[in-house]
Amino acid sequence: NAFAKNPLIAILRGLEPENALPVSDRLISAGFRIIEVPLNSPEPLGSIERIAQRHGAQAIVGAGTVLTVKQVNAVANAGGRIIVSPNMDPDVGRAAIQRGLYWCPGVMTPSEAFAALDLGASVLKFFPAEMVPPSAIAALRAVLPRDALIAAVGGITPDTLASYHAVGGITP
């Protein structure tokens, strides 16, 4: 499992397609196994396609800021295998799962987290993490299923990474 190899997600916001391969080559060399190109980047589907063609056997490549079913389908058609959203939209989740993709919805509350898991979320993205401190992640961890994968995203810095990891905010 890519998360077990490296629980960090490389989020390539603003990536230009001509930089997709050199950047992804370095990330793969550094051990990253999940690469996200947000859809609000320049020509994101072209970048996803290039990265997936070169590194799809070694890494899970896909898109972030996925807000619609149409976008899910476009990412899948470009070779993406993970759908990351800032919100928990059941239609987006169902579309991703029907296409056989990993779905990583943005959640902030226990209700959103449990609803996402019930729909089949692969990873729960606590976003923006700067609004969900490590103490809140620890409290949520106490009630979530033990095997639920969590990624705290947004506002994580080198100084706060260890505290999120310690409470299970960056799993495994």
Side-chain angles (χ1 to χ4, degrees):
N1 148 340
F3 236 101
K5 291 180 182 174
N6 183 345
L8 301 178
I9 300 170
I11 302 171
L12 307 182
R13 185 168 311 285
L15 180 70
E16 307 252 343
E18 61 271 12
N19 295 324
L21 294 180
V23 169
S24 62
D25 290 347
R26 289 205 177 185
L27 289 168
I28 293 298
S29 293
F32 280 86
R33 293 299 176 257
I34 304 172
I35 298 175
E36 169 193 333
V37 179
L39 289 184
N40 56 2
S41 298
E43 301 177 51
L45 298 174
S47 294
I48 291 166
E49 185 172 17
R50 290 175 187 183
I51 297 168
Q53 285 175 353
R54 179 168 293 178
H55 297 295
Q58 300 163 295
I60 297 171
V61 179
T65 319
V66 179
L67 303 173
T68 68
V69 171
K70 182 178 178 182
Q71 290 173 330
V72 170
N73 292 325
V75 171
N77 292 340
R81 297 185 336 183
I82 187 168
I83 299 297
V84 182
S85 298
N87 61 329
M88 205 297 282
D89 183 320
D91 291 334
V92 168
R94 281 190 281 274
I97 292 163
Q98 286 171 355
R99 295 288 307 249
L101 309 177
Y102 297 101
W103 177 46
C104 181
V107 300
M108 285 187 72
T109 67
S111 295
E112 289 175 332
F114 280 103
L117 291 171
D118 285 346
L119 286 168
S122 304
V123 178
L124 298 173
K125 171 185 168 179
F126 281 87
F127 176 80
E130 56 206 350
M131 293 176 62
V132 187
S135 59
I137 298 282
L140 288 162
R141 259 274 169 237
V143 297
L144 288 172
R146 293 183 67 77
D147 62 347
L149 296 177
I150 291 177
V153 177
I156 304 294
T157 67
D159 293 334
T160 61
L161 181 64
S163 59
Y164 279 97
H165 189 268
V167 298
I170 300 166
T171 55

